[in-house]
Amino acid sequence: MKKILTAALVLALFGAVALAQPVIDGVIGDDEYANSFVDDPTGAVLYWTVDGDDIHLAFTFPARGWAGIGWLTEKTNRKAGGDILIVTMRDGAPVLLDMFQESARGEPVMDEAEGGSNSYTAFAATFANDVWTVEATRPLATGQDTDVDIVPGEPLILMFAYANVMDVSRAHARSTSGGAHYVEPFTF
């Protein structure tokens, strides 16, 4: 009897560990992520699970065009220095853009343009009925100047932005008009 209980406990623990790591498939399942946050002003919902040295991120975001999230360690010059993830459609397929906000205003630049690289190791997304569903994985610390390290429990400034077009060179509406929103402080 003791062996059966021990085996059941081991299986239950392995099952819990297996459930703790999200599957990056573009579908956010019930209880797939350990944490969530609802951003009422934009309607976005952010989900995340820290898994060792990686973070699994997911979000749903109502938008007719591209949508993005980003984070800063401090806001000294608006959004300059932000680590930005933008999703958009290209040739009928969703794409993830790992970007860096070089200046206080204007569009972010691709990490590669500033000497970095795409830090996301997995990505899947769907876009239907003007709602993005996105899942992605990246290291908490990438070692790149174009990325902001995520330290669980340490406050960051979280940014949400969206546009009415898929062309990422077209800016989001002004923050005062609802096209972008900051959450500070925010902790993963």
Side-chain angles (χ1 to χ4, degrees), residues 96-154:
L96 178 146
L97 306 174
D98 186 4
M99 304 181 88
F100 176 71
Q101 185 66 44
E102 186 176 46
S103 60
R105 295 179 186 256
E107 66 187 80
V109 296
M110 295 296 295
D111 277 11
E112 290 88 345
E114 293 297 314
S117 63
N118 186 341
S119 302
Y120 290 87
T121 58
F123 163 71
T126 59
F127 181 68
N129 301 316
D130 292 341
V131 176
W132 282 100
T133 302
V134 178
E135 294 184 296
T137 300
R138 65 159 264 183
L140 291 165
T142 67
Q144 297 181 38
D145 291 339
T146 54
D147 290 332
V148 173
D149 290 346
I150 297 171
V151 180
E154 292 288 321

Side-chain angles (χ1 to χ4, degrees), residues 77-100:
N77 190 10
R78 299 184 185 218
K79 57 188 177 180
D83 190 352
I84 312 290
L85 176 162
I86 291 180
V87 290
T88 190
M89 297 292 283
R90 289 198 178 150
D91 299 322
V95 295
L96 178 146
L97 306 174
D98 186 4
M99 304 181 88
F100 176 71

